[in-house]
Amino acid sequence: MSAVHKLITDHLEIWTAADTEKKSGRGRVSGSANSVYGIKKLRELILELAVRGKLVPQDPNDEPASELLKRIQVEKAKLIADGKIKGGKPLPEITTEEKPFKLPYGWEWARLNDFVLNIISGGTPSKNNSEFWNGDIPWASVKDLNVEKFLESTQDFITQKGLDAGSKLAQKGDLIICTRMGLGKIAIAAMNVAINQDLKALKVTSFLDIDYFINFYGTLKIIGSGMTVAGIRQDELLQYCIPTPPLAEQHRIVAKIDELMVLCDQLEHQHNNAAEAHEQLVSHLLGTLTQSQDPDDFNANWQRIADHFDTLFTTESCIEALKQTILQLAVMGKLVRQDPNDEPASELLKRIQAEKAKLVAEGKIKKDKALATVSDSEELFKLPSGWSWTRMINCAKQITDGEHLTPERTTDNTKIPLITAKNVRDGSMDYTTTDFVDFDVASKCWNRCKPEPNDILIVSVGATIGRLTMIEDHRDMVIVRSVTLVKPLLINIRYLTMALRSPSLQKTIWAGVKQNAQPCLYLAVSNNLPIPVPPINEQHRIVSKVGQLMVLCDQLKSRITNMRRSQQKLADVLIEHAPTR
């Protein structure tokens, strides 16, 4: 077994335990879209070992790379003499500072230019000329280079006129390298293809294994320059220094990389399958809690979870699922026991209506439009004794949205913050990205709608509809149309906030969203939302219990996050001590 195989197999738990967030990536270095941090680092290590000559043993019978480079020079000289390529400007000798590590015997440092027979830059035909586009010539830009190895298709096509007017044609087998907008992207043209100005097409000598170069390119930390978009110049690209093995060793290195990457793929596939199965199991078990038919059924289902709690709740996503279940259980009346001595919710709702009638008589609020009671078909679940379904407007003295015409804004942070959907976070307010309005402008806005402490703000326009928070500070603010304001009345504000954040209510909110060009939650839908209302004393008990459980969830999540970071650091340490030098 090779040293690298041993490095992988002896530390499987470290590579697969060091998990990461789900991010998309490209190629072997990045791994799949569900890349595991430890395995991603392992892929990087394999490539690093490869280009340092530590992945496969050297063979003293191999022709040294110095002879290989001589034969390339002879090949280029003949092509120049035959008029098939142009002779380029000689590049400076490679300095000691440009050599980041010592090479094995038989290897040589060479510039990319030493292997390139020809290089072309692309271009973009005028978009205003319809005769240049929608032809039969594939035309590649940066977006087409999101491939593992071969460029086999493009999103756009041009005509022969378009090619003649503003692009260049790369040949099948050419190496396509991005030098702007997507640095690090590289592919082999699987067909003749036109390219745009962000790409270079390199015809490379057969004395360089193209797969070896692509693997080497994956180890580069490319940093571009430029005022608007970072890029690298052609002369910079051609001056890259390549650690060059004998040709036979190049082939052996590529074969070994392929073998080890397959092993990494298998590890990653097994890990991701196990993680997916784990999440499905947690989701199923949590679902049994909300579907429990009676207290005995609930206790049995909870005991099943409690017996395996330490093995079930081991990821941040599982903790988030647990939080959502807690909210759902809370609004279903399954989180705390009912007290038959509590005044029923129906009495609370009567007092709310009496208070609203008084406020209407005093001219402080407008009379609500009469709404039908919540029908049996609208009830999201069965409520315990003493609870009642009602419309959200019956829990508030006012539900309205913000300014329909955005008031004149300023960046003066001594003025009044202007709150839009982006400032309403999940359970908090973000004042760091607000614009501001003058006090006189704000005063006019407040005549219709003034947010105050203990009000609820709900995002009502865009992709984050339903995200909400309770206002807990005393700063003045003005809201715009993308935010709905709810002013609760006599109900426990934290309970109402909790109910609106529960999975069943969030689903109902989205069911009422108008899917126009931009999703919108209209006030009529907000007013009509069915709300499960417990007795007021039970509301207080629910809020207290949820608060305690959420603190425990956050503590558990923090421990899991710290554990994951420790596992990542352990993987990093293992990489640092690998035999790369």
Side-chain angles (χ1 to χ4, degrees), residues 124-355:
T124 301
S126 172
K127 296 280 188 178
N128 297 323
N129 192 328
S130 60
E131 292 185 343
F132 293 164
W133 294 91
N134 300 316
D136 56 3
I137 301 174
W139 180 82
S141 60
V142 176
K143 63 179 179 288
D144 299 306
L145 260 65
N146 295 319
V147 295
E148 181 74 24
K149 180 178 177 182
F150 290 104
L151 175 59
E152 298 179 304
S153 63
T154 62
Q155 296 184 31
D156 300 300
F157 291 81
I158 59 174
T159 62
Q160 184 62 47
K161 287 184 178 180
L163 180 64
D164 296 338
S167 188
K168 293 287 180 66
L169 193 68
Q171 301 297 312
K172 180 179 179 179
D174 284 356
L175 195 62
I176 310 297
I177 295 179
C178 182
T179 56
R180 188 173 175 269
M181 298 285 287
L183 296 181
K185 292 185 176 182
I186 186 171
I188 299 172
M191 71 282 189
N192 293 347
V193 56
I195 58 175
N196 83 342
Q197 65 277 5
D198 298 328
L199 307 178
K200 304 285 184 186
L202 287 66
K203 194 171 297 297
V204 179
T205 174
S206 59
F207 293 119
L208 176 68
D209 188 313
I210 197 73
D211 288 319
Y212 172 79
F213 176 76
I214 290 175
N215 285 319
F216 158 74
Y217 202 74
T219 68
L220 294 178
K221 305 297 186 289
I222 301 172
I223 301 176
S225 58
M227 293 297 292
T228 54
V229 179
I232 52 173
R233 302 188 310 274
Q234 180 171 305
D235 61 324
E236 290 178 300
L237 176 65
L238 294 175
Q239 287 191 59
Y240 281 155
C241 296
I242 304 173
T244 308
L247 186 57
E249 188 172 347
Q250 293 179 36
H251 300 329
R252 295 197 301 273
I253 289 171
V254 169
K256 179 57 70 173
I257 289 175
D258 288 342
E259 176 188 341
L260 295 174
M261 291 299 177
V262 167
L263 180 55
C264 288
D265 290 342
Q266 292 171 349
L267 289 175
E268 196 162 67
H269 183 69
Q270 291 169 5
H271 174 87
N272 288 331
N273 282 348
E276 182 178 352
H278 180 91
E279 289 192 7
Q280 289 177 352
L281 175 61
V282 170
S283 177
H284 170 75
L285 291 175
L286 291 175
T288 64
L289 296 178
T290 57
Q291 295 160 16
S292 300
Q293 299 301 309
D294 53 53
D296 290 339
D297 188 26
F298 179 87
N299 290 335
N301 290 330
W302 170 248
Q303 191 59 49
R304 189 179 301 114
I305 293 174
D307 288 344
H308 304 282
F309 194 89
D310 290 343
T311 55
L312 288 173
F313 298 99
T314 57
T315 66
E316 290 96 329
S317 60
C318 288
I319 299 301
E320 286 302 314
L322 178 59
K323 283 185 170 184
Q324 290 297 303
T325 302
I326 290 169
L327 291 179
Q328 189 61 40
L329 292 172
V331 300
M332 295 178 77
K334 296 183 177 184
L335 197 64
V336 300
R337 290 190 177 277
Q338 280 73 52
D339 186 339
N341 296 316
D342 286 342
E343 176 191 70
S346 56
E347 295 301 314
L348 170 65
L349 294 174
K350 290 178 184 177
R351 288 204 307 278
I352 293 174
Q353 290 307 308
E355 182 65 20

Side-chain angles (χ1 to χ4, degrees), residues 289-440:
L289 296 178
T290 57
Q291 295 160 16
S292 300
Q293 299 301 309
D294 53 53
D296 290 339
D297 188 26
F298 179 87
N299 290 335
N301 290 330
W302 170 248
Q303 191 59 49
R304 189 179 301 114
I305 293 174
D307 288 344
H308 304 282
F309 194 89
D310 290 343
T311 55
L312 288 173
F313 298 99
T314 57
T315 66
E316 290 96 329
S317 60
C318 288
I319 299 301
E320 286 302 314
L322 178 59
K323 283 185 170 184
Q324 290 297 303
T325 302
I326 290 169
L327 291 179
Q328 189 61 40
L329 292 172
V331 300
M332 295 178 77
K334 296 183 177 184
L335 197 64
V336 300
R337 290 190 177 277
Q338 280 73 52
D339 186 339
N341 296 316
D342 286 342
E343 176 191 70
S346 56
E347 295 301 314
L348 170 65
L349 294 174
K350 290 178 184 177
R351 288 204 307 278
I352 293 174
Q353 290 307 308
E355 182 65 20
K356 289 183 75 170
K358 178 183 175 184
L359 292 172
V360 170
E362 294 172 352
K364 293 180 179 179
I365 63 172
K366 294 181 180 179
K367 185 176 181 179
D368 297 331
K369 180 181 178 181
L371 297 176
T373 58
V374 177
S375 65
D376 292 346
S377 62
E378 292 178 283
E379 293 181 2
L380 306 178
F381 39 81
K382 185 179 179 180
L383 295 181
S385 175
W387 288 47
S388 296
W389 283 105
T390 193
R391 306 285 181 188
M392 186 160 76
I393 190 61
N394 296 329
C395 300
K397 62 181 177 182
Q398 183 185 28
I399 299 178
T400 186
D401 54 8
E403 295 302 304
H404 289 207
L405 296 176
T406 303
E408 184 177 348
R409 291 170 286 187
T410 174
T411 57
D412 184 353
N413 61 11
T414 65
K415 306 293 185 178
I416 309 299
L418 181 68
I419 302 301
T420 66
K422 68 181 178 182
N423 306 116
V424 179
R425 311 309 298 173
D426 186 16
S428 65
M429 290 292 297
D430 178 9
Y431 297 102
T432 62
T433 59
T434 62
D435 287 327
F436 300 87
V437 297
D438 288 331
F439 183 82
D440 290 344

Side-chain angles (χ1 to χ4, degrees), residues 369 371 378 391-393 399-401 484 512 514 520-530:
K369 180 181 178 181
L371 297 176
E378 292 178 283
R391 306 285 181 188
M392 186 160 76
I393 190 61
I399 299 178
T400 186
D401 54 8
T484 294
K514 295 294 184 181
C520 182
L521 177 67
Y522 292 124
L523 287 177
V525 176
S526 297
N527 290 340
N528 274 281
L529 282 174

Side-chain angles (χ1 to χ4, degrees), residues 520-581:
C520 182
L521 177 67
Y522 292 124
L523 287 177
V525 176
S526 297
N527 290 340
N528 274 281
L529 282 174
I531 302 294
V533 182
I536 189 66
N537 288 339
E538 189 171 346
Q539 292 179 34
H540 301 327
R541 296 197 300 273
I542 289 172
V543 167
S544 176
K545 177 59 71 174
V546 169
Q548 294 170 17
L549 294 175
M550 290 300 176
V551 168
L552 292 175
C553 285
D554 288 338
Q555 290 173 347
L556 182 56
K557 186 175 180 180
S558 179
R559 285 200 295 270
I560 291 170
T561 301
N562 292 335
M563 175 75 74
R564 177 169 52 81
R565 288 173 180 167
S566 297
Q567 290 166 338
Q568 290 179 355
K569 288 180 181 178
L570 188 57
D572 290 340
V573 170
L574 199 56
I575 294 291
E576 289 171 6
H577 288 82
T580 55
R581 292 175 174 80

Side-chain angles (χ1 to χ4, degrees), residues 11-20 36-39 271 314 560 563-568 570-571:
H11 304 286
L12 287 178
E13 290 186 2
I14 294 176
W15 303 128
T16 56
D19 212 341
T20 190
V36 181
Y37 180 85
I39 297 175
H271 174 87
T314 57
I560 291 170
M563 175 75 74
R564 177 169 52 81
R565 288 173 180 167
S566 297
Q567 290 166 338
Q568 290 179 355
L570 188 57

